[in-house]
Amino acid sequence: MDHITFLVAVVIVTALAFDFTNGFHDTANAMATSIATGALKPRTAVLISGVLNIGGAFLSTEVAKTISGGIVDDTLVTPGMIFAGLVGAILWNLLTWLLGLPSSSSHTLFGGLIGAVWVGAGEHGVHVDKVVEKVLIPAVASPIVAGVAALLATYLAYKITARARQDSVTKGFRLGQIASASLVSLAHGTNDAQKTMGVITLTLISAGALGHDAGPPVWVIASAGLAIGLGTYLGGWRIIRTMGKGLTDIQSPQGFAAEAAATTVILTSAHLGFALSTTQVCSGGILGAGLGRRLAEVRWGTAGRMVIAWLVTLPAAALVGGVSASVVKHGGTFGTVVIALCAAAVTAFIVLASRRNPVRADNVNDAHEVTVRAALPTTVGTVA
């Protein structure tokens, strides 16, 4: 415990804060379609999702090892760099949550960490080949694979049940959605909680508390699982509305197909150590399910804004992480305090802005739009 300095403790707490934002930012991944189709009541859905997120955190540590010893050189990383990277990740998560955009929490973390290490240790501190292999290629491939799988599954579901009674089909697939959404939650905990485990493990390695190439200790696994589970239970209602209502009008067969496809892709990737974005996988599954139903409306404007957010996420978080790392590097403890205060101020502003037009469990299915009122600065807009 002698290695756990004040700065290391601050970084661990900040990492768990990111994990918490990851939970409520990504609740939609598992439960948006089940809530939209009425398979689960909103509060019941987020409770199930939160509990299974915690359980999923204990299933694997392969992704955590990718983060702690794969994309950056752990011999060059310092706790200050990790803190700066986490600040970039948290702020981008909160901004996209305010706008109701289901961007990638995973890529905010990767971007923030890459930007901070690049500035703090130089370009040789980032393993570019591993970033391409473990992050960028899965980012492109995974939503396409999930989308195609969901499209085919949706087509088959409607084809097979074409002559069955509609009420029986709806009831059957809603029951199936309870199981498929639960599996997505379990997979989300397996994949996303590991990213925070990896960051905390990287911090402990950089501080000398763990040896190089060490895996996450049990207390790290438990705390990361609990943080993401609590965040999930809060319910990221703004993003749930966008994913459940904003991309397409989801029916229960589509919801089941999208969730089943997403679960398969996420669990397979977690086993292989690919740190993919569950948001992109689930969004791809929903779009594929929309295309798989004849005459279904797919809102391409919303999909286009989501793709833009995906493209911007990693470099935007990297920029904030890099700027923060520069301040921490040159300002020492004072710089760290300045960055922490600035992050707290921006967080408070975003939380207050969200209260102008709140999205809650009782109105999450009312419309497919998430609006930030015009009284805010013009840089904050409307997501359809």
Side-chain angles (χ1 to χ4, degrees):
M1 296 298 290
D2 293 339
H3 296 283
I4 308 298
T5 63
F6 176 74
L7 178 57
V8 170
V10 168
V11 174
I12 291 172
V13 170
T14 307
L16 293 175
F18 165 77
D19 204 24
F20 182 81
T21 67
N22 190 351
F24 74 73
H25 193 280
D26 288 5
T27 309
N29 295 345
M31 292 300 175
T33 55
S34 294
I35 291 171
T37 63
L40 288 168
K41 293 182 179 179
R43 286 294 181 190
T44 302
V46 296
L47 176 60
I48 292 172
S49 187
V51 171
L52 290 173
N53 266 225
I54 296 172
F58 289 88
L59 294 184
S60 173
T61 59
E62 292 303 314
V63 174
K65 293 175 182 176
T66 296
I67 304 297
S68 62
I71 64 174
V72 295
D73 188 341
D74 59 17
T75 63
L76 300 176
V77 174
T78 65
M81 295 178 202
I82 299 172
F83 172 75
L86 287 167
V87 167
I90 290 172
L91 293 183
W92 187 257
N93 256 3
L94 290 174
L95 178 61
T96 50
W97 163 75
L98 174 67
L99 298 175
L101 279 173
S103 68
S104 170
S105 293
S106 304
H107 289 175
T108 62
L109 180 59
F110 302 146
L113 190 59
I114 290 168
V117 173
W118 193 288
V119 170
E123 61 184 78
H124 53 283
V126 178
H127 297 153
V128 177
D129 56 334
K130 289 295 184 182
V131 172
V132 173
E133 176 191 351
K134 297 289 189 177
V135 178
L136 297 184
I137 291 177
V140 175
S142 58
I144 295 174
V145 172
V148 172
L151 187 154
L152 294 174
T154 299
Y155 174 79
L156 289 173
Y158 280 104
K159 191 76 173 177
I160 292 170
T161 61
R163 297 184 179 181
R165 289 178 53 187
Q166 186 60 43
D167 57 344
S168 298
V169 171
T170 299
K171 182 178 180 180
F173 276 109
R174 281 183 177 176
L175 290 174
Q177 273 195 276
I178 296 175
S180 59
S182 298
L183 285 173
V184 175
S185 296
L186 193 68
H188 181 257
T190 301
N191 190 76
D192 279 40
Q194 287 191 64
K195 292 159 190 170
T196 299
M197 294 178 210
V199 169
I200 295 176
T201 302
L202 180 61
T203 303
L204 296 173
I205 291 173
S206 69
L210 290 176
H212 296 296
D213 298 324
V218 174
W219 69 265
V220 172
I221 297 173
S223 59
L226 184 61
I228 199 170
L230 288 173
T232 299
Y233 177 67
L234 274 185
W237 306 114
R238 306 175 79 83
I239 298 175
I240 288 175
R241 175 179 288 184
T242 299
M243 289 188 71
K245 293 291 186 179
L247 286 174
T248 185
D249 291 319
I250 288 284
Q251 295 181 355
S252 54
Q254 294 169 284
F256 177 79
E259 290 160 358
T263 300
T264 302
V265 173
I266 294 168
L267 287 178
T268 301
S269 298
H271 177 71
L272 296 173
F274 292 126
L276 53 72
S277 165
T278 54
T279 300
Q280 292 181 0
V281 173
C282 293
S283 298
I286 291 172
L287 281 174
L291 293 171
R293 177 166 69 91
R294 186 181 177 187
L295 302 179
E297 177 190 2
V298 176
R299 301 184 180 95
W300 293 110
T302 301
R305 282 187 283 274
M306 284 172 50
V307 171
I308 291 173
W310 293 352
L311 295 175
V312 172
T313 289
L314 197 147
L319 178 62
V320 178
V323 171
S324 300
S326 180
V327 175
V328 171
K329 181 179 179 180
H330 295 98
T333 301
F334 177 75
T336 303
V337 172
V338 168
I339 291 299
L341 291 175
C342 289
V346 174
T347 298
F349 172 79
I350 291 174
V351 172
L352 290 174
S354 71
R355 293 180 179 177
R356 292 178 176 271
N357 189 27
V359 181
R360 304 176 301 271
D362 58 351
N363 68 356
V364 68
N365 281 333
D366 287 354
H368 67 264
E369 295 183 347
V370 174
T371 303
V372 180
R373 292 183 181 175
L376 293 175
T378 54
T379 52
V380 181
T382 300
V383 176

